[in-house]
Amino acid sequence: MNHTFTAAPRAAFASTWLRRLAGVAVALATGITVSGAAMASGTAWPQRAVSVVVPFPAGGSTDTIARLLAQPLNEKLGQPFVVDNRPGATGAIGATFVKRAPADGYTMLVASIGVFAVNPFLQKNLQYDPAKDFDLLTVAVRAPNVLVANPNFPAKSLQELVAYMKKNPGKVSFASSGAGSSDHLTAALFWQKSGTEGLHVPYKGGAPAISDLLAGQVDVSFQNINAVLQHIRTGKLKALAVTSDKRSSVLPNVQTMVEGGVKDVDVYSWQGVAAPKGLPADVKTRLHGAIVGALKDPGMQKKLSEQGFEVVANTPEQFAEFENQELKRWKTVIEQGKITAE
């Protein structure tokens, strides 16, 4: 049987297909629009590598925390988290870089107490405001400092150090990771509370400070426990006291400052994670969740605990409240001690 199409059915057939094609085009356009909106709002984040800015040289405590976090974040979020060391000005250079970066989730900051709570009181022309220019995510960890000395230094205990310093005012050199760093302020607080006077020797980060301490170029230093723990265990450095209110589980034989006769020097250094101000809400939620999840993983907690760190992993709101308290505390210490960044 032959089938023939009249002009009318042919027109109807063509019209139907045109409508279907138009519908497909609209659907595709709508899908593209939705996809674009999703990407703009951050639901598709991350689509590429994320830069983890550490405003100090490689090898210090902050760098250690950033690198420990990078791998699990990569696994949880499916993109590389690449540590980018940008040292200088006690962390201010790296922090300013992050402040000026797009608030798109592809730049984050892992920094310490100096960056978040001290620099505003020591640097006159600071290019960032820690309380206003960042979206605070979490305080990752905290740890007491430990007062360590080169093995050849004559004092073998905190009591002997204080006695030696009183006989030799301004002669004992204290290495720090930079002016206004946690170790510098701890040293200044120690001098105030013990009635002594030391010689501050600032470096651009904890690693070079420790290097010169090991070489005997400087006498003593307040350092993060994890950064010097192996050197203490191998005898390359001797520990005189810890700045916590009780003895450290990783250095149980080392006395606290109070046990050594010096009160009111309970100091914890800490590392926090932040991003440029204005992070999309969904990106902020997802990034915070991934960071806290990584920190609370039993394997990670064990690894951090073995190095002397205590996991904090708090909320952005708790971080903001804590930062405000720290800003007030260190402002007072700096003013009373007449401490400068020079």
Side-chain angles (χ1 to χ4, degrees):
M1 182 182 295
N2 293 327
H3 294 278
T4 57
F5 282 44
T6 64
R10 285 177 180 170
F13 179 81
S15 177
T16 299
W17 277 104
L18 284 172
R19 285 196 300 272
R20 289 179 180 176
L21 286 172
V24 170
V26 169
L28 286 172
T30 302
I32 291 170
T33 301
V34 170
S35 176
M39 290 186 69
S41 69
T43 53
W45 176 90
Q47 293 292 310
R48 53 185 170 84
V50 176
S51 177
V52 182
V53 175
V54 173
F56 304 107
S61 295
T62 303
D63 181 71
T64 297
I65 295 302
R67 294 180 188 278
L68 283 173
L69 279 174
Q71 184 58 39
L73 289 179
N74 180 354
E75 294 170 357
K76 288 174 178 292
L77 297 172
Q79 292 291 342
F81 279 69
V82 183
V83 174
D84 179 10
N85 296 92
R86 292 178 176 266
T90 321
I93 290 175
T96 301
F97 173 83
V98 173
K99 168 199 169 179
R100 294 172 176 168
D104 55 9
Y106 292 101
T107 305
M108 54 187 277
L109 174 70
V110 178
S112 62
I113 179 177
V115 170
F116 288 115
V118 175
N119 284 348
F121 312 117
L122 292 177
Q123 299 189 30
K124 294 180 181 178
N125 298 312
L126 194 66
Q127 298 298 303
Y128 74 93
D129 184 332
K132 296 179 180 179
D133 291 333
F134 303 112
D135 272 344
L136 303 179
L137 296 172
T138 189
V139 176
V141 297
R142 72 172 191 168
N145 290 325
V146 56
L147 177 59
V148 287
N150 181 277
N152 295 322
F153 186 72
K156 296 179 181 180
S157 67
L158 182 61
Q159 294 92 328
E160 288 184 12
L161 172 64
V162 170
Y164 184 88
M165 291 181 69
K166 287 184 175 180
K167 290 180 181 178
N168 301 276
K171 299 290 182 64
V172 178
S173 55
F174 282 70
S176 83
S177 58
S181 60
S182 169
D183 34 325
H184 173 207
L185 292 183
T186 305
L189 187 60
F190 167 65
W191 301 334
Q192 292 172 28
K193 299 302 181 181
S194 62
T196 59
E197 181 185 349
L199 175 65
H200 178 222
V201 183
Y203 290 81
K204 291 184 177 180
I210 294 167
S211 179
D212 268 12
L213 186 63
L214 290 167
Q217 300 298 314
V218 285
D219 299 320
V220 299
S221 182
F222 283 95
Q223 286 291 329
N224 298 159
I225 282 184
N226 79 289
V228 291
L229 186 59
Q230 290 306 316
H231 297 312
I232 294 170
R233 288 173 171 169
T234 58
K236 294 179 180 179
L237 292 174
K238 55 184 175 184
L240 304 181
V242 291
T243 63
S244 48
D245 56 0
K246 59 183 178 180
R247 294 196 180 196
S248 168
S249 61
V250 295
L251 293 173
N253 296 322
V254 177
Q255 64 185 354
T256 65
M257 298 294 290
V258 172
E259 289 174 328
V262 182
K263 297 179 180 180
D264 301 322
V265 190
D266 293 344
V267 177
Y268 287 85
S269 62
W270 49 271
Q271 277 71 31
V273 186
K277 191 72 173 180
L279 203 61
D282 46 1
V283 174
K284 184 176 180 178
T285 298
R286 192 173 183 206
L287 181 56
H288 175 265
I291 294 168
V292 169
L295 289 168
K296 291 187 174 181
D297 176 81
M300 175 72 83
Q301 287 195 321
K302 183 175 184 294
K303 187 180 298 184
L304 289 168
S305 178
E306 289 172 348
Q307 297 184 55
F309 288 113
E310 176 187 335
V311 171
V312 180
N314 57 8
T315 66
E317 294 76 17
Q318 289 170 331
F319 187 178
E321 182 180 354
F322 174 69
E323 182 187 47
N324 185 52
Q325 294 170 353
E326 286 286 86
L327 283 164
K328 291 179 180 177
R329 179 191 189 193
W330 293 112
K331 181 176 186 289
T332 300
V333 171
I334 290 165
E335 288 178 349
Q336 289 182 354
K338 297 180 181 179
I339 300 168
T340 65
E342 286 74 28

